[in-house]
């Protein structure tokens, strides 16, 4: 499930390099696509054109940040037990909530699982209650207590480049945000505009300077608030067609 997962012509190495090499460690500088072009010995226009085509074909969701769970705002894994005949309708209803960023069917009594992210714990609870009302069924909320390993990258070259959390580490308190930070989070989660100076465009939306915005992102990456910044791929469209959730019942004192 490496390079063969791509539906690209054999000579289209630029697409592969962008998809494989830049799911993290994307250049945080005023002209990032020009920097990528220099690294990949390609033209900046070719980089932008290729990324736009990958987005259009559904292989790339966006170029942007993946925030660490619970470091900014609040989030939880949640589930519903839905009658099979109503699953599609309820799934569509849940997916319409902007706070829901993943939603999928599982083989279990709780057959609809989704992730909810909000700006605060209060907002998160309000969204869960609204989903309950809309779905007509109680929501099972399973918030993360401690991170052991989360890495949503998908190496396509057969390598193992995952990064692991610290099992013995204590949970980290959420980082307080001012209004500018909140606007920055919202802007970055939408993804970078595919243009020559994308951070300048985001800065104009956020209300700060381009340099200040880039420096803030660098700090968040260094502090682990942003787990990775780069090309966010859609794994199913790249050929990863199966996955499973594995759950163990382990005594609390031996979990770590």
């Amino acid at each position: 499930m490496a390079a063969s997962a791509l539906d690209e012509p054999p000579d289209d190495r630029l697409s592969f390099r962008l998809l494989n090499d830049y799911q993290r460690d994307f250049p945080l500088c005023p002209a990032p696509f020009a920097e990528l072009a220099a690294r990949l010995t390609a033209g900046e226009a070719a980089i932008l054109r290729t990324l736009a085509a990958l987005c259009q074909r559904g292989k790339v969701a966006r170029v942007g940040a993946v925030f660490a769970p619970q470091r900014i705002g609040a989030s939880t894994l949640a589930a519903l037990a839905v009658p099979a005949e109503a699953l599609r309708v309820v799934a569509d209803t849940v997916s319409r909530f902007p706070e829901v960023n993943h939603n999928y069917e599982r083989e279990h009594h709780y057959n609809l699982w989704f992730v909810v992210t909000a700006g605060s714990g209060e907002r998160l609870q309000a969204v869960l209650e609204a989903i309950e009302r809309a779905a007509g069924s109680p929501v099972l909320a399973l918030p993360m207590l401690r991170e052991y390993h989360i890495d949503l990258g998908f190496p396509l070259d057969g390598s193992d480049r995952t990064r692991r959390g610290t099992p013995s580490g204590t949970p980290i308190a959420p980082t307080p945000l001012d209004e500018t930070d909140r606007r920055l989070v919202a802007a970055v989660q939408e993804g970078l505009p595919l243009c020559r100076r994308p951070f300048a465009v985001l800065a104009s939306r956020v209300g700060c300077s381009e340099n200040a915005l880039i420096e803030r992102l660098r700090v968040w990456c260094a502090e682990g608030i942003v787990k990775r910044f780069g090309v966010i791929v859609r794994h199913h469209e790249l050929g990863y067609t199966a996955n499973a959730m594995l759950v163990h019942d382990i005594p609390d004192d031996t979990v770590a």
Side-chain angles (χ1 to χ4, degrees), residues 62-80:
R62 57 189 169 89
V63 178
V66 174
F67 287 92
Q70 309 293 26
R71 290 297 303 275
I72 289 180
S75 64
T76 187
L77 176 67
L80 288 166

Side-chain angles (χ1 to χ4, degrees), residues 31-246:
F33 300 114
E35 174 64 24
L36 286 180
R39 295 181 188 180
L40 298 175
T41 61
E44 183 182 26
I47 297 290
L48 290 167
R49 185 169 57 249
T50 301
L51 284 171
L54 291 169
C55 290
Q56 186 175 24
R57 295 163 64 184
K59 294 188 174 186
V60 169
R62 57 189 169 89
V63 178
V66 174
F67 287 92
Q70 309 293 26
R71 290 297 303 275
I72 289 180
S75 64
T76 187
L77 176 67
L80 288 166
V82 181
E85 64 275 10
L87 185 62
R88 171 53 61 185
V89 172
V90 174
D92 289 344
T93 299
V94 171
S95 295
R96 281 195 288 270
F97 284 83
E99 294 84 1
V100 174
N101 51 24
H102 296 87
N103 187 14
Y104 39 84
E105 180 185 3
R106 292 271 181 206
E107 185 180 359
H108 191 267
H109 170 68
Y110 284 98
N111 54 349
L112 189 67
W113 291 77
F114 49 96
V115 176
V116 184
T117 302
S120 66
E122 294 77 10
R123 177 58 185 166
L124 179 68
Q125 185 58 40
V127 172
L128 293 175
E129 292 172 359
I131 290 174
E132 284 192 344
R133 291 193 297 271
S137 179
V139 171
L140 173 67
L142 298 169
M144 184 185 75
L145 300 180
R146 182 175 299 178
E147 174 189 339
Y148 295 104
H149 173 53
I150 297 176
D151 189 291
L152 297 179
F154 292 89
L156 305 178
D157 58 1
S159 65
D160 181 9
R161 291 178 290 145
T162 57
R163 300 180 179 183
R164 298 186 177 276
T166 305
S168 58
T170 57
I172 302 174
T175 299
L177 302 178
D178 59 25
E179 185 56 35
T180 299
D181 287 338
R182 292 189 185 94
R183 290 197 297 268
L184 174 55
V185 170
V188 170
Q189 285 182 323
E190 293 179 3
L192 292 185
L194 298 180
C195 62
R196 294 179 183 274
R197 300 289 292 266
F199 294 114
V201 175
L202 292 189
S204 67
R205 297 175 186 171
V206 172
C208 65
S209 71
E210 179 186 43
N211 287 338
L213 184 146
I214 291 173
E215 181 58 30
R216 194 62 172 155
L217 289 175
R218 287 173 177 166
V219 169
W220 284 353
C221 288
E223 293 179 349
I225 295 170
V226 172
K227 290 192 68 67
R228 62 187 180 92
F229 196 107
V231 178
I232 311 302
V233 303
R234 296 186 185 277
H235 64 278
H236 186 273
E237 284 73 6
L238 291 177
Y240 291 82
T241 57
N243 64 58
M245 177 183 290
L246 179 62

